[in-house]
Amino acid sequence: MRRITKISAVLSAGLFSLAATACTSDGGDTASEGENSDFKACMVSDSGGFDDKSFNETSLAGQDAAEEDLGIETATVESAGDSEYANNIAQLVEQGCDHITTVGFLLGDATLASAQENTDLSYAIVDFAYADDQGNNTAPDNLKGLTYATDQPAFLAGYLAAGMTESDKVGTLGGQNIPTVTIFMEGFRRGVDQYNQDNGTKVQVLGWNGKSGSFTDDFEDKTKAQAIGEQLIGQGADIIMPVAGPSGLGALQAAKDAGVKGIWVDSDGYESTEFGDILLTSVVKGMDVSVEQAITDSVNDEYDNEIYLGTLENEGVGLADYHDFEDQVPDELKDKIDELRQQIIDGELTTS
Amino acid sequence: MKLEIRGLTKRFGDFVANDHIDLTIEPGEIHCLLGENGAGKSTLMNMLYGLLDPSEGEVLIDEVPRSFATPGDAIAAGIGMVHQHFMLVPVFTVAENVMLGDESVRGGVFLNRGQATERVRALSQQYGLKVDPEALVEHLPVGVQQRVEIIKALSHNAKVLILDEPTAVLTPQEIEELMQIMRELRDQGTSIIFITHKLREVKAVGDRISVIRRGRVVGTADPSTSEAELAEMMVGRSVKLVVDKEPSTRRDTVLQVEHLTVTDPRGHQVVKDIGFEVRAGEVLGVAGVQGNGQTELVKALIGLIRPDTGVISLDGNDISGHGPRRSLEAGVGYIPEDRSHDGNVGSFSVRENLILDLYRDDRFARGMALRLDDIATNAQERIEEFDIRTESDQTPVSALSGGNQQKVVVAREFSRPLKLLVASQPTRGVDVGSIEFIHRRIIAERDRGTAVVIVSTELDEIYALSDRIAVMYDGRIVGTVTPDIPREQIGLLMAGATDTGEERV
Amino acid sequence: MSSLRMTAGWWASAKVTLAAFAIALLIGAVLIAFSDEDVVETLPNLFTYPGDFFVAAADAIGSSYWAMLKGSLGSWHAIASTLERSAPLICAGLGVTFAFRAGLFNIGAQGQMTIAALIGGYVAFAWQLPAGLHLLCALVACLIGGALWGGVAGVLKAQAGAHEVITTIMLNYVAASVLLYALSKDAFQRPGSDNALSPQPLDTARFPSIGGVHLGVLLALLAAVLVWWVLDRSTLGFELRAVGANPNAARTAGMSTTVVYTVAMVIAGALAGLAAAMNVLGEGNALSPTLVGSIGFDAITVALLGRASPVGTVLAGLLFGAMSVGGVAMQASVGTPKELTAVIQALIVLFVAAPTFVKALMRFKDQGGGTTLLAKGWGA
């Protein structure tokens, strides 16, 4: 299915740009011929591809922004399976890339191998860090892990959801029972707990109990998330937060069909999905920001292998605007969430 | 309507399938086209029916030259064809099959089934073609399905009806009924082109006979011509129609069948408590109308079906539960009734088919490795010995004519020592020349001391080969006789009783 | 056995394949041109400056295909990558081919590879054995894993008459879930991590490499020779092909279709297992939910393109491997989307499956090469 969509995308993109250029005859180059045009930043996706409306896509947005802002060259390669990673990275090395960003923990081994082999290049890997049992960074000097404390904004989202629910039931579902997914769900659950404590309510979280929950076991198949979403809604949830990449769009569809609300993750779903009108907010994982920052550091020869952790404090993660629900969220709830945000930043409140 | 063919020629590359054929079909005659398999009869008819483009020549209808690009054109010109393999939709009713292709429609969208049913009824009455328009085709016997094909052609107002080997699939009774229908059609003004290679049939029903050999019309005869003369015209040399054989010298019992009962997959008991014996050097013919349990009897003998009860003992050992492989290894040879279904692997070469059940033999395999040289040598020997006409031993067997395909089966089964030979319809769809050859080989095998069981629905064949004849009816052997008794008497036994008035539909 | 027939049919079908390849590249070229920004920019002035358009199009097409060629065959490193990428495709393709010759449409290479990788991968990362012996054990574990999964479908077909297309597809799902489940357990996860990712195979269990190519590639080619020998030269292959072409005649000739179906699927599964070994023991990939990628499905395409012959499968596997590696280079250097590679591959198969169309297009004389095989798979 995915292939077909992509093929038709290629075709329709061709036709569309044909029409577009017909209207605006004068395009003209932007800042692509900048002072850093001899620097090349490159990126390898995992098997989700760069059109996943999720972390591959957001990461690429960071590289695209760097291209724009710094006037560097870029290249990208999409992967179809695990056996392609090593060759795809090697291919980019061969293309003369100076900085290579890989997306996702699955590329961890291949990225490390390439970084050890090509010490004159810099590497960054999204959503992964090299650490030993004590949590010490084991990455080589030219490889930076980019990680995100998404539990922090997810906590706020949980608090918000608990404050907004009318059925006293909210739901979440994941793409797979892996840390980068469950960290959202756990933060969300704890936010709901916090609300219950503060207000003496009994809002329930469906789909995640701290250990196990509802998973699609698939990041691409929307029908699976839709089925689980319908199930959660059937059990009474009136706000659901899918953490399943593009698959999660199915859950938003289920929410829209049932007239309930949703919370998106990774990017601001108000802009990246077509379900903006039912989204209370989004738990934003600022992969674009950190990817661009890593590239900038590399361009400026300020590269280090310190693990990057995106937090509310450094705005590497955050809660998106309420958009259409701006007027419906009570002011005291908004204030409370702002207060909690500050508490988390000050370290007075732990979210995981 | 008068149909005239002038100088019609068809070439496939260098090969000339039809060479300047001239034929005239007068209105209201049954014109027989006699020829061996591969003589070019079907090519000729396919050109006439718009399925092949002629390389040369023309077709005239009532003195007007016509050309047919598609069967549709031919049908519109009044030509109808009943193919050897029926073109019917099994899950449709007779009426639906007849209306197929020119569905009459009521109110713009609704199929007018009633009208089609009426039409079938009318045609069936007019020509004495007994058939129920509402019956599902898949439930009909082959003979009746053929009538549906004829009605289909007639419903398109066919004035010339081509019947391509129509008797190949029929029982003797059905053949008799078909001939009756053909005469009725002729008497009402329809011309019939009757394609066959069976001499008895052309003599019985034909008004005129054209003989085709190697793509040419080699002569025209009338029905009074003797079978031997016709055969000679057809094959191009004199043919012995009767197998010379010495009386059998019966020796020890090889096959002893007792209380054999077989149930088919649908749960019907099709072989009912049968017992018989066959001795070395003897041919037992099993006669009967198709579908009276012969197929299952044969499959049980060879081990393809496990019988419910009963004993099949070969030289005193019960082989009834052994399965085909051990039966073959015990010395049973088998010529199945449907060679392309059970006898050969069509896409395999002649060479491979000649060892299809011998590949494990030490002659052809060393451990797991096939002995390719020995397999090739064997193929050359068998091809020569059995006069198999093939381009090479590497040709896929499906490219051979029916007779030669059958010879491949026969050659294979005769290339190992046999105790028992079971041959089912050994010459069905085989041309005269090959029939003669296969019959001689079977008798030779008998004379070598093999016990032989021949199952055939063709009485000629039963008479030609058998030393004793067992007649099967409804799963039982209703009588065992010697070949000196008259045909009529066996016919009565085949019908199951002395009551001959009953008609089977 | 059938060398004469093979040579006659061989050239006819090779011609169709080559023509299909050419047409696919041509269509691919059009797609490249119209998805290239520089080309699209010239379109508004197509009639005033048609030259611009053709220069830009030629440049886009030329640089894309050149990148593909160079990336797949242009250097020793490129060739090494192509060989390594082709090896699992060839092995899994041979599995599909082998079953196909027995009349079985094996859609299950994906699942067979998955289970093989799971078992073989475990042996490779969890067992501590001396080099050589460790590799042997891990390799055998891969073969057994694949054979087991293939054998399940074979037994179901032979004993219960369950259609292998259905069972192998279902077994693919089961295998994927089994892998996912295993990867959620500590025994299969990296110590100290909850990610669905196993430790890497130990070096003692890896195929040695020479000049940047792991020796598993040789094993893949050896497997192709073996499959050819078994199919064409052995009694087993004779039975297999007979059952595949006409099970009734095979049964009548004393062959056991149940044995043949089971053996065919066991061997087909083992070949898929060998493909998994290429991934795990050759490239050294750790187990993950996406380990197999789409190799098991691409294998079906490879086998069909190779016309279910071992030689054809090897050639088709090499072609697909080269296109896959070259497609990455094309994407990395010129930015041509990698979907284009998929489109070209799909078109090749499409045209090979419709030989009449290609013949009509290329005005070949109809000699009926290789049509039946592709059309026959289903319904058998």
Side-chain angles (χ1 to χ4, degrees):
Chain A
M1 279 316 286
R2 241 169 60 80
R3 277 197 176 168
I4 292 166
T5 4
K6 284 192 182 176
I7 291 161
S8 59
V10 171
L11 286 169
S12 56
L15 292 174
F16 178 73
S17 45
L18 205 154
T21 41
C23 303
T24 59
S25 57
D26 190 13
D29 288 346
T30 39
S32 65
E33 306 268 326
E35 72 247 57
N36 299 308
S37 58
D38 57 340
F39 189 91
K40 193 165 183 181
C42 305
M43 186 174 281
V44 185
S45 80
D46 76 357
S47 55
F50 287 122
D51 57 353
D52 65 352
K53 292 196 170 29
S54 188
F55 78 143
N56 285 303
E57 191 167 332
T58 313
S59 304
L60 181 62
Q63 180 170 295
D64 288 346
E67 182 179 14
E68 186 101 341
D69 297 344
L70 305 169
I72 55 170
E73 293 285 309
T74 61
T76 58
V77 168
E78 289 187 306
S79 309
D82 290 14
S83 55
E84 294 189 4
Y85 297 146
N87 177 59
N88 288 358
I89 297 172
Q91 198 58 252
L92 289 174
V93 171
E94 208 151 281
Q95 294 298 328
C97 297
D98 300 288
H99 176 85
I100 296 173
T101 310
T102 59
V103 186
F105 72 92
L106 289 173
L107 282 90
D109 294 335
T111 309
L112 178 63
S114 182
Q116 283 166 338
E117 204 175 307
N118 304 287
T119 47
D120 51 331
L121 308 186
S122 61
Y123 291 80
I125 178 164
V126 175
D127 243 2
F128 191 68
Y130 300 89
D132 60 19
D133 296 347
Q134 277 77 47
N136 299 315
N137 188 10
T138 58
D141 293 342
N142 60 336
L143 171 54
K144 191 178 186 71
L146 308 175
T147 60
Y148 307 88
T150 44
D151 51 326
Q152 296 181 355
F155 182 92
L156 302 180
Y159 201 92
L160 172 71
M164 294 297 289
T165 177
E166 286 158 23
S167 63
D168 278 359
K169 278 177 187 158
V170 296
T172 182
L173 61 128
Q176 201 180 319
N177 192 346
I178 52 172
T180 47
V181 167
T182 54
I183 187 173
F184 282 93
M185 299 163 84
E186 180 62 8
F188 184 78
R189 188 182 71 86
R190 293 193 183 210
V192 172
D193 278 355
Q194 183 75 35
Y195 185 89
N196 286 340
Q197 258 174 45
D198 291 354
N199 300 286
T201 49
K202 284 187 174 165
V203 178
Q204 263 184 288
V205 178
L206 306 176
W208 177 248
N209 63 9
K211 268 192 205 149
S212 59
S214 303
F215 293 95
T216 54
D217 286 335
D218 193 315
F219 285 96
E220 310 200 349
D221 189 345
K222 295 186 180 67
T223 58
K224 290 184 185 169
Q226 186 161 2
I228 294 179
E230 281 164 4
Q231 209 179 326
L232 294 172
I233 295 164
Q235 288 167 24
D238 64 351
I239 299 170
I240 54 174
M241 179 179 82
V243 191
S247 166
L249 291 170
L252 294 189
Q253 184 67 53
K256 185 163 190 162
D257 293 346
V260 303
K261 296 187 266 293
I263 295 174
W264 190 237
V265 298
D266 285 354
S267 58
D268 186 349
Y270 192 80
E271 276 140 22
S272 61
T273 75
E274 71 238 59
F275 298 100
D277 53 333
I278 62 154
L279 290 179
L280 263 182
T281 184
S282 299
V283 178
V284 178
K285 187 170 169 183
M287 290 168 284
D288 46 349
V289 181
S290 47
V291 164
E292 184 179 6
Q293 188 58 50
I295 295 172
T296 310
D297 289 350
S298 185
V299 169
N300 298 335
D301 280 333
E302 291 166 359
Y303 210 71
D304 61 52
N305 69 345
E306 280 301 305
I307 296 172
Y308 167 87
L309 179 65
T311 60
L312 288 173
E313 186 176 12
N314 64 17
E315 295 186 357
V317 294
L319 201 63
D321 291 341
Y322 305 119
H323 297 292
D324 289 357
F325 289 89
E326 190 65 50
D327 298 337
Q328 291 177 42
V329 180
D331 283 340
E332 56 264 40
L333 186 56
K334 287 181 190 166
D335 293 344
K336 182 69 191 173
I337 286 170
D338 287 340
E339 192 185 307
L340 289 168
R341 175 182 289 127
Q342 197 53 49
Q343 283 181 11
I344 294 169
I345 291 172
D346 295 344
E348 292 165 19
L349 186 65
T350 51
T351 52
S352 60
Chain B
M1 182 171 108
K2 184 177 166 188
L3 179 75
E4 208 176 338
I5 294 168
R6 280 194 203 151
L8 215 54
T9 301
K10 180 70 192 174
R11 295 187 197 89
F12 297 104
D14 295 334
F15 177 67
V16 186
N18 278 179
D19 191 358
H20 294 92
I21 290 196
D22 298 309
L23 272 184
T24 307
I25 317 294
E26 300 290 346
E29 75 166 353
I30 298 179
H31 196 121
C32 299
L33 218 51
L34 186 67
E36 291 199 277
N37 290 327
K41 295 168 299 190
S42 294
T43 306
L44 179 61
M45 289 306 118
N46 283 337
M47 282 194 283
L48 201 52
Y49 196 58
L51 288 166
L52 284 175
D53 275 335
S55 310
E56 258 178 64
E58 56 183 359
V59 176
L60 292 87
I61 291 177
D62 292 334
E63 314 294 339
V64 184
R66 305 286 291 265
S67 72
F68 311 126
T70 66
D73 297 348
I75 290 168
I79 297 174
M81 182 150 173
V82 175
H83 296 268
Q84 202 170 347
H85 302 285
F86 303 148
M87 314 273 176
L88 297 172
V89 183
V91 294
F92 280 12
T93 65
V94 170
E96 283 167 338
N97 266 291
V98 170
M99 72 198 284
L100 210 64
D102 60 354
E103 298 87 352
S104 63
V105 171
R106 204 172 38 193
V109 280
F110 299 104
L111 289 174
N112 196 344
R113 283 208 185 75
Q115 193 187 318
T117 309
E118 273 321 300
R119 180 125 180 81
V120 172
R121 255 197 205 112
L123 285 167
S124 109
Q125 232 147 42
Q126 187 184 346
Y127 297 103
L129 290 152
K130 282 187 200 139
V131 59
D132 172 10
E134 321 247 337
L136 286 181
V137 162
E138 60 183 344
H139 293 157
L140 298 176
V142 177
V144 181
Q145 290 191 19
Q146 193 171 52
R147 275 179 229 165
V148 177
E149 283 280 13
I150 295 173
I151 289 177
K152 210 164 110 184
L154 292 174
S155 80
H156 296 126
N157 302 312
K159 294 281 172 285
V160 175
L161 193 60
I162 305 169
L163 303 177
D164 188 2
E165 300 272 4
T167 58
V169 289
L170 301 183
T171 64
Q173 277 91 338
E174 285 172 330
I175 291 174
E176 198 41 60
E177 285 165 19
L178 175 67
M179 288 182 174
Q180 205 48 53
I181 291 167
M182 287 164 70
R183 291 189 194 104
E184 186 64 42
L185 286 166
R186 173 195 59 195
D187 294 347
Q188 295 195 36
T190 309
S191 313
I192 293 175
I193 303 178
F194 176 39
I195 302 175
T196 186
H197 60 262
K198 292 187 184 166
L199 306 171
R200 179 186 295 276
E201 290 167 6
V202 298
K203 280 176 64 74
V205 77
D207 296 320
R208 230 151 29 109
I209 302 164
S210 294
V211 183
I212 294 192
R213 191 171 77 227
R214 295 192 184 180
R216 293 167 189 259
V217 176
V218 292
T220 309
D222 53 69
S224 59
T225 318
S226 77
E227 284 193 24
E229 267 176 272
L230 287 173
E232 193 171 338
M233 283 169 81
M234 185 160 102
V235 182
R237 59 181 165 85
S238 68
V239 181
K240 278 214 180 97
L241 292 173
V242 184
V243 189
D244 288 328
K245 60 172 189 187
E246 301 295 314
S248 130
T249 50
R250 293 174 40 157
R251 285 165 256 176
D252 301 336
T253 299
V254 172
L255 177 71
Q256 176 94 43
V257 176
E258 288 164 47
H259 303 297
L260 187 72
T261 303
V262 177
T263 306
D264 75 2
R266 276 179 284 172
H268 300 298
Q269 211 176 67
V270 281
V271 175
K272 299 168 180 167
D273 195 24
I274 277 186
F276 60 89
E277 57 160 45
V278 188
R279 290 168 179 270
E282 176 191 43
V283 176
L284 176 74
V286 179
V289 176
Q290 180 124 42
N292 276 289
Q294 302 99 310
T295 306
E296 288 78 11
L297 169 65
V298 165
K299 286 193 169 174
L301 287 180
I302 200 72
L304 279 165
I305 302 183
R306 188 182 282 266
D308 302 339
T309 60
V311 175
I312 301 170
S313 70
L314 184 72
D315 273 352
N317 304 313
D318 184 11
I319 58 164
S320 62
H322 276 183
R325 182 166 165 182
R326 282 173 66 191
S327 295
L328 294 173
E329 280 166 3
V332 182
Y334 177 43
I335 301 171
E337 65 180 60
D338 185 340
R339 61 182 159 269
S340 50
H341 192 260
D342 299 312
N344 285 324
V345 175
S347 58
F348 272 26
S349 63
V350 172
R351 186 191 280 193
E352 287 174 307
N353 272 296
L354 282 169
I355 57 154
L356 199 62
D357 56 9
L358 299 166
Y359 63 97
R360 279 187 231 90
D361 196 295
D362 285 343
R363 280 188 289 163
F364 302 119
R366 192 185 294 109
M368 267 200 41
L370 293 168
R371 304 167 75 137
L372 297 189
D373 293 342
D374 299 307
I375 291 169
T377 314
N378 172 68
Q380 287 309 329
E381 287 171 8
R382 294 286 92 75
I383 287 171
E384 204 159 309
E385 182 185 351
F386 286 80
D387 190 28
I388 299 166
R389 306 269 171 86
T390 171
E391 214 170 288
S392 86
D393 62 348
Q394 305 272 25
T395 309
V397 89
S398 56
L400 270 53
S401 72
N404 282 302
Q405 291 189 21
Q406 189 73 355
K407 281 189 197 168
V408 170
V409 176
V410 172
R412 177 180 72 224
E413 296 306 305
F414 286 178
S415 56
R416 62 194 161 99
L418 297 180
K419 286 181 188 154
L420 170 69
L421 172 69
V422 180
S424 191
Q425 311 288 1
T427 59
R428 176 182 280 183
V430 169
D431 51 85
V432 175
S434 303
I435 290 176
E436 180 199 10
F437 183 84
I438 291 171
H439 282 178
R440 268 199 287 117
R441 295 299 308 211
I442 290 174
I443 294 303
E445 193 64 34
R446 176 200 78 164
D447 293 342
R448 204 183 296 156
T450 305
V452 181
V453 176
I454 302 285
V455 176
S456 181
T457 51
E458 305 226 10
L459 271 183
D460 289 345
E461 182 159 81
I462 293 286
Y463 270 103
L465 297 175
S466 306
D467 299 310
R468 281 189 302 138
I469 302 172
V471 183
M472 266 187 97
Y473 175 77
D474 192 26
R476 295 177 213 279
I477 289 182
V478 291
T480 306
V481 295
T482 47
D484 49 20
I485 91 167
R487 288 176 93 91
E488 294 70 40
Q489 216 163 323
I490 289 192
L492 290 180
L493 284 169
M494 282 165 74
T498 47
D499 179 11
T500 50
E502 196 177 317
E503 196 161 354
R504 291 168 50 85
V505 173
Chain C
M1 272 293 10
S2 39
S3 51
L4 257 181
R5 179 157 53 96
M6 289 306 266
T7 31
W10 175 83
W11 174 233
S13 66
K15 234 171 21 175
V16 170
T17 309
L18 287 176
F21 189 55
I23 301 170
L25 284 180
L26 210 66
I27 296 177
V30 173
L31 286 179
I32 290 174
F34 283 95
S35 60
D36 186 275
E37 280 177 31
D38 293 340
V39 175
V40 172
E41 268 174 31
T42 67
L43 280 176
N45 305 320
L46 180 58
F47 296 104
T48 33
Y49 303 106
D52 287 3
F53 167 76
F54 289 109
V55 169
D59 183 52
I61 296 163
S63 58
S64 291
Y65 282 156
W66 178 241
M68 183 183 261
L69 193 65
K70 205 168 135 231
S72 57
L73 300 169
S75 65
W76 170 243
H77 176 257
I79 292 172
S81 301
T82 294
L83 286 176
E84 291 198 354
R85 185 73 56 85
S86 305
L89 285 171
I90 290 172
C91 295
L94 286 171
V96 177
T97 288
F98 196 80
F100 198 92
R101 295 297 282 275
L104 299 171
F105 214 51
N106 174 18
I107 313 287
Q110 187 80 8
Q112 292 145 22
M113 280 184 75
T114 302
I115 295 299
L118 184 68
I119 298 179
Y122 183 80
V123 171
F125 72 70
W127 291 11
Q128 304 278 347
L129 290 169
L133 181 64
H134 196 183
L135 172 61
L136 191 68
C137 288
L139 182 61
V140 170
C142 282
L143 297 181
I144 289 176
L148 192 80
W149 217 243
V152 171
V155 169
L156 285 173
K157 167 86 180 182
Q159 304 296 335
H163 200 292
E164 75 282 357
V165 168
I166 311 286
T167 55
T168 50
I169 290 177
M170 292 303 141
L171 284 169
N172 285 344
Y173 286 118
V174 176
S177 299
V178 168
L179 176 68
L180 216 52
Y181 178 78
L183 286 173
S184 72
K185 296 291 148 200
D186 285 342
F188 279 87
Q189 285 174 348
R190 297 188 180 193
S193 155
D194 283 332
N195 275 329
L197 187 66
S198 79
Q200 281 188 284
L202 300 177
D203 284 344
T204 46
R206 299 273 308 269
F207 285 118
S209 30
I210 291 179
V213 184
H214 67 75
L215 290 182
V217 172
L218 276 184
L219 213 55
L221 297 178
L222 217 62
V225 175
L226 195 69
V227 165
W228 166 81
W229 187 86
V230 168
L231 282 176
D232 254 33
R233 295 289 160 97
S234 78
T235 53
L236 173 64
F238 190 80
E239 289 184 358
L240 207 94
R241 288 184 291 120
V243 169
N246 185 347
N248 292 307
R251 220 175 284 127
T252 304
M255 302 175 192
S256 162
T257 50
T258 49
V259 170
V260 165
Y261 285 145
T262 311
V263 169
M265 281 309 293
V266 164
I267 295 179
L271 286 163
L274 190 62
M278 298 300 141
N279 267 357
V280 177
L281 312 178
E283 294 164 17
N285 293 318
L287 301 180
S288 89
T290 46
L291 171 66
V292 178
S294 60
I295 296 172
F297 296 116
D298 295 342
I300 300 168
T301 323
V302 164
L304 291 184
L305 186 61
R307 294 229 164 60
S309 89
V311 182
T313 304
V314 170
L315 293 177
L318 286 171
L319 176 69
F320 270 43
M323 287 187 72
S324 167
V325 170
V328 171
M330 187 167 76
Q331 195 186 4
S333 69
V334 209
T336 312
K338 91 173 169 164
E339 279 70 35
L340 190 83
T341 323
V343 171
I344 293 174
Q345 288 178 344
L347 286 173
I348 295 173
V349 175
L350 193 73
F351 291 136
V352 167
T356 333
F357 176 71
V358 172
K359 281 175 190 155
L361 218 57
M362 305 300 265
R363 310 225 182 284
F364 288 162
K365 255 195 180 154
D366 196 330
Q367 291 162 345
T371 41
T372 46
L373 197 56
L374 286 171
K376 242 182 58 180
W378 298 81

